Coordinates of all heavy atoms in Angstrom, one line a residue:
M93 N 1.1 5.7 16.1 CA 1.3 6.2 14.8 C 0.6 7.6 14.8 O -0.5 7.8 15.3 CB 0.6 5.3 13.7 CG 0.7 5.9 12.3 SD 0.0 4.9 11.1 CE 1.3 3.7 10.9
Q94 N 1.2 8.6 14.2 CA 0.7 9.9 14.2 C 0.3 10.3 12.8 O 1.0 10.0 11.8 CB 1.8 10.9 14.7 CG 1.2 12.3 14.9 CD 2.3 13.2 15.4 OE1 3.5 13.0 15.1 NE2 1.9 14.2 16.2
F95 N -0.9 10.9 12.6 CA -1.4 11.4 11.3 C -1.3 12.9 11.2 O -1.5 13.6 12.2 CB -2.8 10.9 11.1 CG -3.0 9.5 11.2 CD1 -3.6 8.9 12.2 CD2 -2.6 8.7 10.1 CE1 -3.8 7.5 12.3 CE2 -2.7 7.3 10.1 CZ -3.3 6.7 11.2
S96 N -1.0 13.4 10.1 CA -0.9 14.8 9.9 C -1.7 15.2 8.6 O -1.8 14.5 7.7 CB 0.5 15.3 9.8 OG 1.2 14.8 8.7
M97 N -2.2 16.4 8.6 CA -2.8 17.0 7.5 C -4.0 16.2 6.9 O -4.3 16.2 5.8 CB -1.8 17.3 6.4 CG -0.8 18.3 6.8 SD 0.4 18.7 5.6 CE -0.5 18.9 4.1
G98 N -4.7 15.4 7.8 CA -5.8 14.6 7.3 C -5.5 13.3 6.6 O -6.4 12.7 6.1
W99 N -4.2 13.0 6.4 CA -3.8 11.8 5.7 C -4.1 10.6 6.6 O -3.9 10.6 7.8 CB -2.4 11.8 5.3 CG -2.1 12.8 4.2 CD1 -1.8 14.1 4.3 CD2 -2.2 12.5 2.8 NE1 -1.6 14.6 3.1 CE2 -1.9 13.7 2.1 CE3 -2.5 11.4 2.1 CZ2 -1.9 13.8 0.7 CZ3 -2.5 11.4 0.7 CH2 -2.2 12.6 0.0
R100 N -4.6 9.5 6.0 CA -4.8 8.3 6.7 C -3.8 7.3 6.1 O -3.2 7.5 5.1 CB -6.2 7.8 6.4 CG -7.2 8.7 7.0 CD -8.6 8.2 6.9 NE -9.6 9.1 7.3 CZ -10.6 9.6 6.5 NH1 -10.7 9.1 5.3 NH2 -11.4 10.5 7.0
D101 N -3.6 6.2 6.8 CA -2.7 5.2 6.4 C -3.4 4.2 5.4 O -3.6 3.0 5.7 CB -2.2 4.5 7.6 CG -1.0 3.6 7.3 OD1 -0.4 3.8 6.2 OD2 -0.7 2.7 8.1
Y102 N -3.7 4.7 4.2 CA -4.3 3.8 3.2 C -3.9 4.4 1.8 O -3.5 5.5 1.6 CB -5.8 3.6 3.4 CG -6.7 4.7 3.2 CD1 -6.6 5.6 2.1 CD2 -7.7 5.0 4.1 CE1 -7.5 6.6 1.9 CE2 -8.6 6.0 3.9 CZ -8.5 6.9 2.8 OH -9.3 7.9 2.6
H103 N -4.1 3.5 0.8 CA -3.9 3.8 -0.5 C -5.2 4.1 -1.3 O -6.1 3.3 -1.3 CB -3.2 2.6 -1.2 CG -2.9 2.8 -2.6 ND1 -1.9 3.6 -3.1 CD2 -3.5 2.3 -3.7 CE1 -2.0 3.5 -4.5 NE2 -2.9 2.7 -4.8
L104 N -5.2 5.3 -1.9 CA -6.4 5.6 -2.7 C -6.4 4.9 -4.0 O -5.3 4.7 -4.6 CB -6.4 7.1 -3.0 CG -6.7 8.1 -1.8 CD1 -6.6 9.5 -2.3 CD2 -8.0 7.8 -1.2
Y105 N -7.6 4.4 -4.4 CA -7.6 3.8 -5.7 C -9.0 4.1 -6.4 O -9.9 4.6 -5.8 CB -7.4 2.2 -5.6 CG -8.4 1.6 -4.7 CD1 -9.7 1.2 -5.2 CD2 -8.2 1.4 -3.4 CE1 -10.6 0.5 -4.4 CE2 -9.1 0.7 -2.5 CZ -10.3 0.3 -3.1 OH -11.2 -0.3 -2.2
E106 N -9.0 3.7 -7.7 CA -10.2 4.1 -8.5 C -10.3 3.1 -9.7 O -9.3 2.8 -10.3 CB -10.1 5.5 -8.9 CG -11.2 6.0 -9.8 CD -11.0 7.5 -10.0 OE1 -11.1 8.3 -9.1 OE2 -10.7 7.8 -11.2
F107 N -11.5 2.6 -9.9 CA -11.7 1.8 -11.1 C -12.8 2.6 -11.9 O -13.8 3.0 -11.4 CB -12.3 0.4 -10.7 CG -11.3 -0.4 -9.9 CD1 -11.4 -0.4 -8.6 CD2 -10.3 -1.1 -10.6 CE1 -10.5 -1.2 -7.8 CE2 -9.5 -1.9 -9.8 CZ -9.5 -1.9 -8.4
E108 N -12.5 2.8 -13.2 CA -13.4 3.5 -14.1 C -14.0 2.6 -15.1 O -13.3 1.9 -15.8 CB -12.6 4.7 -14.8 CG -13.5 5.6 -15.5 CD -13.8 6.8 -14.7 OE1 -13.1 7.2 -13.8 OE2 -14.9 7.4 -14.9
F109 N -15.3 2.7 -15.3 CA -16.1 1.9 -16.3 C -16.8 2.9 -17.1 O -18.0 3.1 -16.9 CB -17.0 0.9 -15.6 CG -16.3 -0.1 -14.7 CD1 -16.1 0.1 -13.4 CD2 -15.8 -1.3 -15.2 CE1 -15.4 -0.8 -12.6 CE2 -15.1 -2.2 -14.4 CZ -14.9 -1.9 -13.1
P110 N -16.2 3.5 -18.2 CA -16.8 4.5 -18.9 C -18.1 4.1 -19.6 O -19.1 4.9 -19.7 CB -15.8 5.0 -19.9 CG -14.5 4.2 -19.6 CD -14.9 3.2 -18.6
Q111 N -18.2 2.9 -20.2 CA -19.4 2.5 -20.9 C -20.6 2.4 -19.9 O -21.7 2.7 -20.3 CB -19.2 1.1 -21.6 CG -18.2 1.3 -22.7 CD -17.9 -0.1 -23.4 OE1 -18.1 -1.1 -22.8 NE2 -17.5 0.0 -24.6
E112 N -20.4 2.0 -18.7 CA -21.4 1.9 -17.7 C -21.6 3.2 -16.9 O -22.5 3.3 -16.1 CB -21.1 0.8 -16.7 CG -21.2 -0.6 -17.3 CD -19.9 -1.0 -17.9 OE1 -18.9 -0.3 -17.8 OE2 -19.9 -2.1 -18.5
K113 N -20.8 4.2 -17.2 CA -20.8 5.5 -16.5 C -20.7 5.3 -15.0 O -21.5 5.7 -14.2 CB -22.0 6.3 -16.8 CG -22.0 6.8 -18.3 CD -23.1 7.8 -18.6 CE -23.0 8.3 -20.0 NZ -23.9 9.3 -20.3
L114 N -19.7 4.5 -14.6 CA -19.5 4.1 -13.2 C -18.1 4.3 -12.8 O -17.1 3.9 -13.6 CB -19.9 2.6 -13.1 CG -19.7 1.9 -11.7 CD1 -20.5 2.6 -10.6 CD2 -20.0 0.5 -11.8
R115 N -17.8 4.8 -11.6 CA -16.5 4.9 -11.0 C -16.6 4.3 -9.6 O -17.5 4.7 -8.8 CB -16.0 6.3 -11.0 CG -14.7 6.5 -10.5 CD -14.0 7.8 -10.8 NE -14.9 9.0 -10.6 CZ -14.5 10.0 -9.8 NH1 -13.4 10.1 -9.2 NH2 -15.4 11.0 -9.7
I116 N -15.6 3.5 -9.3 CA -15.6 2.9 -8.0 C -14.3 3.4 -7.3 O -13.2 3.2 -7.9 CB -15.6 1.3 -8.0 CG1 -16.8 0.9 -8.7 CG2 -15.4 0.7 -6.6 CD1 -16.8 -0.6 -9.1
T117 N -14.4 4.0 -6.2 CA -13.2 4.6 -5.5 C -13.4 4.6 -4.0 O -14.5 4.6 -3.5 CB -13.0 6.0 -6.0 OG1 -11.8 6.6 -5.4 CG2 -14.1 7.0 -5.8
N118 N -12.3 4.6 -3.3 CA -12.3 4.7 -1.9 C -12.0 6.1 -1.5 O -11.8 6.4 -0.3 CB -11.4 3.7 -1.2 CG -9.9 4.0 -1.5 OD1 -9.6 4.7 -2.4 ND2 -9.1 3.4 -0.7
D119 N -12.0 7.1 -2.4 CA -11.9 8.5 -2.2 C -13.1 9.1 -1.6 O -14.1 9.3 -2.3 CB -11.5 9.2 -3.4 CG -11.2 10.7 -3.2 OD1 -11.4 11.2 -2.1 OD2 -10.9 11.4 -4.2
E120 N -13.2 9.2 -0.3 CA -14.4 9.6 0.4 C -14.9 11.0 0.0 O -16.1 11.2 -0.2 CB -14.1 9.6 1.9 CG -15.3 9.9 2.8 CD -16.3 8.7 2.8 OE1 -15.8 7.5 2.7 OE2 -17.5 8.9 3.0
E121 N -14.0 11.9 -0.3 CA -14.3 13.3 -0.7 C -15.1 13.2 -2.1 O -16.1 13.9 -2.2 CB -13.1 14.1 -0.8 CG -13.4 15.6 -1.1 CD -12.2 16.5 -1.0 OE1 -11.3 16.2 -0.2 OE2 -12.1 17.4 -1.9
S122 N -14.6 12.5 -3.0 CA -15.2 12.3 -4.3 C -16.6 11.7 -4.2 O -17.6 12.2 -4.8 CB -14.4 11.5 -5.3 OG -13.2 12.1 -5.6
Y123 N -16.7 10.7 -3.3 CA -18.0 10.1 -3.1 C -19.0 11.0 -2.5 O -20.2 11.1 -2.9 CB -17.8 8.8 -2.3 CG -19.1 8.1 -1.9 CD1 -19.8 7.4 -2.9 CD2 -19.6 8.1 -0.6 CE1 -21.0 6.8 -2.6 CE2 -20.8 7.5 -0.3 CZ -21.5 6.8 -1.3 OH -22.7 6.2 -1.0
E124 N -18.6 11.7 -1.5 CA -19.5 12.7 -0.8 C -19.9 13.8 -1.7 O -21.1 14.3 -1.7 CB -18.8 13.2 0.5 CG -18.7 12.2 1.6 CD -20.0 11.6 2.1 OE1 -21.0 12.3 2.1 OE2 -20.0 10.4 2.4
E125 N -19.0 14.3 -2.5 CA -19.4 15.3 -3.5 C -20.4 14.8 -4.5 O -21.4 15.5 -4.8 CB -18.1 15.8 -4.2 CG -18.3 16.9 -5.2 CD -17.0 17.3 -5.8 OE1 -16.2 16.4 -6.4 OE2 -16.6 18.5 -5.8
F126 N -20.2 13.6 -5.0 CA -21.2 13.0 -5.9 C -22.6 12.9 -5.2 O -23.6 13.2 -5.8 CB -20.7 11.7 -6.4 CG -21.8 10.9 -7.1 CD1 -22.1 11.2 -8.4 CD2 -22.4 9.8 -6.5 CE1 -23.1 10.5 -9.1 CE2 -23.4 9.1 -7.1 CZ -23.7 9.5 -8.4
K127 N -22.6 12.4 -4.0 CA -23.9 12.2 -3.3 C -24.6 13.6 -3.1 O -25.8 13.7 -3.3 CB -23.6 11.6 -1.9 CG -23.6 10.1 -1.9 CD -23.5 9.5 -0.5 CE -23.7 10.4 0.7 NZ -23.6 9.7 2.0
F128 N -23.8 14.6 -2.7 CA -24.4 15.9 -2.5 C -25.0 16.5 -3.8 O -26.2 16.8 -3.8 CB -23.3 16.9 -2.0 CG -23.8 18.3 -1.9 CD1 -24.6 18.7 -0.8 CD2 -23.5 19.2 -2.9 CE1 -25.0 20.1 -0.8 CE2 -24.0 20.5 -2.9 CZ -24.7 21.0 -1.8
Y129 N -24.3 16.5 -4.9 CA -24.8 17.0 -6.1 C -25.9 16.2 -6.7 O -26.9 16.7 -7.3 CB -23.7 17.3 -7.1 CG -22.9 18.5 -6.8 CD1 -21.5 18.4 -6.6 CD2 -23.5 19.7 -6.6 CE1 -20.7 19.5 -6.3 CE2 -22.7 20.8 -6.3 CZ -21.3 20.7 -6.1 OH -20.6 21.8 -5.8
S130 N -25.8 14.8 -6.6 CA -26.8 14.0 -7.1 C -28.2 14.2 -6.4 O -29.2 14.2 -7.0 CB -26.4 12.5 -6.9 OG -25.4 12.2 -7.7
A131 N -28.1 14.4 -5.1 CA -29.3 14.7 -4.3 C -29.9 16.0 -4.7 O -31.1 16.2 -4.9 CB -29.1 14.6 -2.8
K132 N -29.0 17.0 -4.8 CA -29.5 18.4 -5.1 C -30.1 18.5 -6.5 O -31.1 19.2 -6.7 CB -28.3 19.3 -5.0 CG -28.7 20.8 -5.2 CD -27.5 21.7 -4.9 CE -28.0 23.2 -5.0 NZ -27.0 24.1 -4.7
Y133 N -29.6 17.7 -7.5 CA -30.1 17.8 -8.8 C -30.7 16.5 -9.3 O -30.6 16.1 -10.4 CB -28.9 18.2 -9.8 CG -28.4 19.6 -9.5 CD1 -27.2 19.7 -8.8 CD2 -29.1 20.7 -9.8 CE1 -26.7 21.0 -8.5 CE2 -28.6 22.0 -9.5 CZ -27.4 22.1 -8.8 OH -27.0 23.4 -8.5
K134 N -31.4 15.9 -8.4 CA -32.0 14.6 -8.7 C -33.1 14.6 -9.8 O -33.1 13.8 -10.7 CB -32.6 14.0 -7.4 CG -33.2 12.6 -7.5 CD -33.6 12.1 -6.2 CE -34.0 10.6 -6.3 NZ -34.2 10.0 -5.1
S135 N -33.9 15.7 -9.7 CA -35.0 15.8 -10.7 C -34.7 16.8 -11.8 O -35.6 17.0 -12.6 CB -36.3 16.0 -10.0 OG -36.2 17.2 -9.2
K136 N -33.6 17.5 -11.7 CA -33.4 18.6 -12.7 C -31.9 18.7 -12.9 O -31.1 18.4 -12.0 CB -34.0 19.9 -12.3 CG -33.3 20.5 -11.0 CD -34.0 21.8 -10.6 CE -33.4 22.3 -9.3 NZ -32.4 23.3 -9.4
K137 N -31.5 19.3 -14.0 CA -30.1 19.5 -14.3 C -29.7 20.9 -13.8 O -30.6 21.8 -13.7 CB -29.8 19.5 -15.8 CG -30.0 18.2 -16.4 CD -29.6 18.2 -17.9 CE -29.6 16.8 -18.4 NZ -29.2 16.7 -19.8
P138 N -28.5 21.1 -13.4 CA -28.1 22.5 -12.9 C -28.2 23.5 -14.1 O -28.0 23.2 -15.2 CB -26.6 22.3 -12.5 CG -26.2 21.0 -13.1 CD -27.4 20.2 -13.4
T139 N -28.6 24.7 -13.7 CA -28.8 25.7 -14.7 C -27.4 26.3 -15.1 O -26.4 26.0 -14.4 CB -29.6 26.9 -14.2 OG1 -28.9 27.5 -13.1 CG2 -31.0 26.4 -13.7
N140 N -27.3 27.1 -16.1 CA -26.1 27.7 -16.5 C -25.5 28.6 -15.5 O -24.3 28.8 -15.3 CB -26.2 28.5 -17.9 CG -26.3 27.5 -19.0 OD1 -25.9 26.4 -19.0 ND2 -26.9 28.0 -20.1
N141 N -26.4 29.3 -14.7 CA -26.0 30.1 -13.6 C -25.4 29.3 -12.5 O -24.4 29.8 -11.8 CB -27.1 31.0 -13.1 CG -27.5 32.1 -14.1 OD1 -26.7 32.5 -14.9 ND2 -28.7 32.6 -13.9
E142 N -26.0 28.2 -12.2 CA -25.5 27.3 -11.1 C -24.2 26.6 -11.5 O -23.4 26.3 -10.6 CB -26.5 26.3 -10.7 CG -27.8 26.8 -10.2 CD -28.9 25.8 -10.0 OE1 -29.1 25.0 -11.0 OE2 -29.5 25.8 -9.0
D143 N -24.0 26.3 -12.8 CA -22.9 25.5 -13.2 C -22.3 26.0 -14.5 O -22.4 25.4 -15.6 CB -23.4 24.0 -13.4 CG -22.3 23.1 -13.7 OD1 -21.1 23.4 -13.3 OD2 -22.6 22.0 -14.2
P144 N -21.8 27.3 -14.5 CA -21.4 27.9 -15.8 C -20.3 27.2 -16.5 O -20.2 27.3 -17.7 CB -20.9 29.3 -15.3 CG -20.5 29.1 -13.9 CD -21.5 28.1 -13.4
H145 N -19.5 26.4 -15.9 CA -18.4 25.6 -16.5 C -18.7 24.1 -16.7 O -17.8 23.4 -17.2 CB -17.1 25.8 -15.8 CG -16.7 27.3 -15.6 ND1 -16.3 28.1 -16.7 CD2 -16.8 28.1 -14.6 CE1 -16.1 29.3 -16.3 NE2 -16.3 29.4 -15.0
G146 N -19.9 23.7 -16.3 CA -20.2 22.3 -16.5 C -19.6 21.3 -15.5 O -19.6 20.1 -15.7
I147 N -19.0 21.8 -14.5 CA -18.3 21.0 -13.5 C -19.3 20.1 -12.8 O -19.1 18.8 -12.6 CB -17.5 21.8 -12.5 CG1 -16.4 22.5 -13.3 CG2 -16.9 20.9 -11.4 CD1 -15.6 23.6 -12.5
I148 N -20.4 20.6 -12.3 CA -21.4 19.8 -11.6 C -22.0 18.7 -12.5 O -22.1 17.6 -12.1 CB -22.5 20.7 -11.0 CG1 -21.9 21.6 -9.9 CG2 -23.6 19.9 -10.4 CD1 -22.9 22.7 -9.5
A149 N -22.3 19.1 -13.7 CA -22.8 18.2 -14.7 C -21.9 17.0 -14.9 O -22.3 15.8 -15.0 CB -23.1 18.8 -16.0
R150 N -20.6 17.3 -15.0 CA -19.6 16.2 -15.1 C -19.5 15.3 -13.9 O -19.3 14.1 -14.0 CB -18.2 16.8 -15.5 CG -18.1 17.2 -16.9 CD -16.7 17.5 -17.4 NE -16.1 18.6 -16.7 CZ -16.3 19.9 -17.0 NH1 -17.1 20.2 -18.0 NH2 -15.7 20.8 -16.3
I151 N -19.7 15.9 -12.7 CA -19.6 15.1 -11.5 C -20.8 14.1 -11.4 O -20.6 13.0 -11.1 CB -19.6 16.1 -10.3 CG1 -18.3 16.8 -10.2 CG2 -19.9 15.3 -9.0 CD1 -18.3 17.9 -9.1
I152 N -22.0 14.6 -11.8 CA -23.1 13.7 -11.6 C -23.4 12.8 -12.8 O -24.3 11.9 -12.7 CB -24.4 14.5 -11.3 CG1 -24.8 15.5 -12.3 CG2 -24.2 15.2 -9.9 CD1 -26.0 16.3 -12.1
E153 N -22.7 13.0 -13.9 CA -23.0 12.1 -15.1 C -22.4 10.7 -14.9 O -22.9 9.8 -15.6 CB -22.5 12.8 -16.4 CG -21.0 12.7 -16.6 CD -20.5 13.4 -17.8 OE1 -21.3 14.0 -18.5 OE2 -19.3 13.4 -18.1
T154 N -21.5 10.5 -14.1 CA -20.9 9.2 -13.8 C -21.2 8.9 -12.3 O -20.9 9.6 -11.4 CB -19.4 9.2 -14.0 OG1 -19.1 9.5 -15.4 CG2 -18.8 7.9 -13.7
T155 N -21.8 7.7 -12.1 CA -22.1 7.3 -10.8 C -20.9 6.9 -10.0 O -20.0 6.2 -10.6 CB -23.1 6.1 -10.8 OG1 -24.3 6.4 -11.5 CG2 -23.4 5.6 -9.4
I156 N -20.7 7.4 -8.8 CA -19.5 7.0 -8.0 C -20.0 6.1 -6.9 O -21.0 6.4 -6.2 CB -18.9 8.3 -7.4 CG1 -18.3 9.1 -8.6 CG2 -17.7 7.9 -6.5 CD1 -17.6 10.4 -8.1
R157 N -19.4 5.0 -6.8 CA -19.7 4.0 -5.7 C -18.5 3.7 -4.9 O -17.4 3.8 -5.3 CB -20.2 2.7 -6.3 CG -21.5 2.8 -7.2 CD -22.8 2.8 -6.5 NE -23.0 1.7 -5.6 CZ -23.6 0.6 -6.0 NH1 -24.0 0.4 -7.2 NH2 -23.8 -0.4 -5.1
Q158 N -18.8 3.4 -3.6 CA -17.7 2.9 -2.7 C -17.5 1.4 -2.9 O -18.4 0.7 -3.2 CB -18.1 3.3 -1.3 CG -18.1 4.7 -1.0 CD -18.5 5.0 0.4 OE1 -19.5 4.5 0.9 NE2 -17.7 5.8 1.1
P159 N -16.2 1.0 -2.8 CA -15.9 -0.4 -3.0 C -16.6 -1.4 -2.1 O -16.9 -2.5 -2.5 CB -14.4 -0.5 -2.8 CG -14.1 0.7 -2.0 CD -15.1 1.8 -2.3
Q160 N -17.0 -0.9 -0.9 CA -17.7 -1.8 0.0 C -19.1 -2.1 -0.4 O -19.8 -3.0 0.1 CB -17.8 -1.2 1.4 CG -16.6 -0.6 2.0 CD -16.3 0.8 1.7 OE1 -16.2 1.2 0.5 NE2 -16.1 1.7 2.7
T161 N -19.7 -1.4 -1.4 CA -21.1 -1.5 -1.8 C -21.3 -2.2 -3.1 O -22.4 -2.3 -3.6 CB -21.8 -0.1 -1.8 OG1 -21.2 0.7 -2.9 CG2 -21.6 0.6 -0.5
I162 N -20.2 -2.6 -3.8 CA -20.3 -3.2 -5.1 C -19.3 -4.2 -5.4 O -18.2 -4.2 -4.9 CB -20.2 -2.1 -6.2 CG1 -20.6 -2.6 -7.5 CG2 -18.9 -1.4 -6.2 CD1 -20.9 -1.4 -8.5
K163 N -19.7 -5.2 -6.2 CA -18.7 -6.2 -6.6 C -18.3 -5.9 -8.1 O -19.2 -5.5 -8.9 CB -19.3 -7.6 -6.6 CG -19.5 -8.2 -5.3 CD -20.0 -9.7 -5.4 CE -20.1 -10.2 -4.0 NZ -20.5 -11.6 -4.1
I164 N -17.0 -5.9 -8.3 CA -16.6 -5.6 -9.7 C -16.9 -6.7 -10.6 O -17.2 -6.5 -11.8 CB -15.1 -5.3 -9.7 CG1 -14.8 -4.0 -8.9 CG2 -14.5 -5.2 -11.1 CD1 -13.4 -3.7 -8.7
D165 N -16.7 -8.0 -10.2 CA -17.0 -9.1 -11.0 C -17.6 -10.2 -10.1 O -17.5 -10.2 -8.9 CB -15.7 -9.6 -11.6 CG -15.8 -10.5 -12.8 OD1 -17.0 -10.8 -13.1 OD2 -14.8 -11.0 -13.3
K166 N -18.3 -11.1 -10.8 CA -18.9 -12.2 -10.0 C -17.9 -13.1 -9.4 O -18.0 -13.6 -8.4 CB -19.7 -13.1 -11.0 CG -20.9 -12.3 -11.6 CD -21.6 -13.2 -12.6 CE -22.7 -12.3 -13.3 NZ -23.2 -12.9 -14.5

């Protein structure tokens, strides 16, 4: 099987739990982006100069978890 343009042979999915501010996804890029910004702004919020459009704040306001690390239901 040949892969092109970085595509893998799997289906992306996402479960959103707005009340818990939780998103579960197998989208590796979204998860890595969340980890990066969460670590960078662990003890402080991004300044207006760092995040003039509020994109980083929106990324870190909802926890993103990988499906391998969480159970959706008992």
Side-chain angles (χ1 to χ4, degrees):
M93 178 178 283
Q94 187 178 33
F95 299 106
S96 62
M97 296 178 47
W99 287 90
R100 297 185 188 121
D101 191 19
Y102 66 48
H103 175 75
L104 291 176
Y105 59 86
E106 179 174 293
F107 297 95
E108 188 93 31
F109 300 92
Q111 291 177 336
E112 291 85 4
K113 293 187 176 186
L114 175 64
R115 182 165 44 127
I116 301 168
T117 182
N118 67 342
D119 180 358
E120 189 71 29
E121 188 175 321
S122 292
Y123 177 70
E124 292 299 324
E125 184 178 52
F126 169 76
K127 273 185 15 180
F128 172 80
Y129 286 123
S130 293
K132 185 173 182 174
Y133 297 104
K134 188 174 186 170
S135 60
K136 65 181 177 103
K137 292 185 177 184
T139 65
N140 285 338
N141 286 339
E142 294 170 314
D143 190 20
H145 302 289
I147 295 169
I148 296 170
R150 283 192 296 278
I151 289 170
I152 61 178
E153 74 183 4
T154 298
T155 300
I156 297 179
R157 301 278 303 271
Q158 292 180 309
Q160 308 89 303
T161 65
I162 191 168
K163 287 185 179 182
I164 294 175
D165 195 2
K166 296 175 187 166

